[in-house]
Amino acid sequence: SDIAFSYDDEHAGEICKMSEMVRKKSIQKYWTDNVPGLDKGGESVKTNRQFFANVDSYRLKNEPYVVPLIETLSTKKGRLLEVGCGLGADLRNFAGRGMSAVGVDLSFNNVKLTKKGLEYYGYKGNAINSDAENLPFRDASFDAYYSFGVLHHTPDTAKAIAEAYRVLKKGGKCIVMLYHKGYAYLYINMFYGFKRLFTSEEKLISDYYDSTPLSKMYSKKDAHRLFRNFKNISFEVTTFAFGGVDINSKLKKVHLLLKNKFLMERLGQFLVIKAEK
């Protein structure tokens, strides 16, 4: 009976692994087909330097909140890893500040585009196709780790953060942005919470927040647990002005309301975690 139990257990494990692979394939396809910022390159051919200049300009003009985060990790020049680099706008920003920047993305196409962008600018850096949960780097390889709005889209976020800890050098700094259990979380639970009787919270968030294959949200308490191995941890709850805020009158009103610090801490949509190994 022991042998039979062992076989069943191993078989179940293989099924789980296959299911996880299928799930990651769907995530990979989604982010290849829906690359944030791809439409901001203009009419330029995507192998043209002007395309990347347009993408980077849009990022800085319309999403300036990333600049102080990038500056924080660039104060000491060293080797930086960005997980979920997309088109590479932030990675080029790091590289342009003198960092030896390496980007990781689940999408092969995003990796190709990021590499081309680095080449056109003549920046020192690289991009690799990889999984946030299984980074292909040795322990203590990087001085800094950066992931903005990515790790809540991977099945095992805790494992991805454990990987961040593993590849950082002692004293290395980490900045991660995760979706926060803010006003969108309350809205979803208020109007669709009854569906949790027959589906998961992840599915509700994915379906009714950003329509991705997988999205999750975290509270500060959740984040404390995820980053428990790090030290000098700080949290900032905020709400960035993207996602159609400028053209959505309802979202504009929410953002005006969240200028109140008390409300922002509780209802802000994004959680920025800064930590050190």
Side-chain angles (χ1 to χ4, degrees):
S1 61
D2 287 343
I3 294 173
F5 179 79
S6 176
Y7 171 78
D8 288 342
D9 194 47
E10 182 180 341
H11 187 59
E14 288 300 316
I15 291 173
C16 284
K17 284 180 183 177
M18 288 176 66
S19 174
E20 201 74 357
M21 285 176 66
V22 170
R23 196 178 196 188
K24 284 183 181 177
K25 282 289 183 185
S26 69
I27 294 170
Q28 181 184 54
K29 185 179 187 309
Y30 177 87
W31 291 109
T32 297
D33 296 341
N34 300 274
V35 188
L38 188 66
D39 60 332
K40 310 306 177 187
E43 298 302 318
S44 309
V45 179
K46 285 192 269 290
T47 54
N48 186 312
R49 174 169 174 161
Q50 187 59 48
F51 169 84
F52 296 103
N54 291 344
V55 168
D56 295 353
S57 176
Y58 180 88
R59 176 71 161 164
L60 293 176
K61 182 180 177 181
N62 295 279
E63 300 167 349
Y65 41 76
V66 299
V67 176
L69 302 180
I70 291 170
E71 288 175 345
T72 297
L73 292 181
S74 303
T75 52
K76 290 184 179 180
K77 302 299 181 284
R79 197 164 185 237
L80 173 130
L81 175 66
E82 180 183 1
V83 171
C85 60
L87 293 179
D90 289 355
L91 196 73
R92 288 187 289 278
N93 201 323
F94 279 114
R97 294 170 187 270
M99 302 291 284
S100 177
V102 178
V104 161
D105 203 279
L106 196 59
S107 164
F108 289 98
N109 195 47
N110 288 352
V111 167
K112 289 178 183 177
L113 287 169
T114 296
K115 282 185 173 183
K116 285 178 181 177
L118 288 168
E119 288 172 8
Y120 281 126
Y121 280 89
Y123 288 152
K124 183 180 179 182
N126 195 12
I128 297 168
N129 176 251
S130 185
D131 180 344
E133 300 171 20
N134 302 281
L135 297 173
F137 308 108
R138 294 178 181 176
D139 296 357
S141 297
F142 295 92
D143 300 287
Y145 176 102
Y146 174 82
S147 185
F148 193 90
V150 174
L151 301 186
H152 44 239
H153 295 304
T154 195
D156 194 340
T157 300
K159 188 177 179 185
I161 291 168
E163 278 289 89
Y165 186 86
R166 181 184 68 79
V167 300
L168 273 173
K169 296 176 182 177
K170 187 176 180 180
K173 297 185 184 300
C174 166
I175 293 181
V176 171
M177 188 277 271
L178 299 173
Y179 287 160
H180 179 243
K181 289 181 176 177
Y183 65 82
Y185 183 78
L186 293 178
Y187 176 88
I188 290 166
N189 278 282
M190 186 181 299
F191 291 98
Y192 304 103
F194 68 95
K195 293 191 176 185
R196 290 181 67 173
L197 294 171
F198 47 86
T199 192
S200 68
E201 179 178 281
E202 291 177 6
K203 185 74 166 61
L204 286 182
I205 293 169
S206 305
D207 288 350
Y208 296 105
Y209 179 59
D210 56 6
S211 303
T212 67
L214 173 63
S215 291
K216 294 174 279 185
M217 293 178 180
Y218 296 89
S219 65
K220 282 187 181 180
K221 185 177 180 181
D222 297 329
H224 267 291
R225 175 178 50 80
L226 290 170
F227 286 83
R228 62 185 177 275
N229 292 327
F230 289 81
K231 61 183 181 181
N232 299 329
I233 308 167
S234 68
F235 302 97
E236 180 188 2
V237 178
T238 186
T239 295
F240 304 122
F242 65 49
V245 170
D246 294 333
I247 59 173
N248 187 311
S249 59
K250 290 181 180 178
L251 281 180
K252 268 189 176 182
K253 289 175 183 177
V254 170
H255 280 238
L256 287 172
L257 195 65
L258 292 180
K259 287 186 177 180
N260 178 287
K261 188 176 179 181
F262 178 85
L263 292 176
M264 179 66 83
E265 282 291 313
R266 286 150 184 81
L267 300 177
Q269 196 50 39
F270 305 101
L271 180 60
V272 176
I273 303 105
K274 297 178 182 178
E276 185 180 318
K277 181 172 178 179

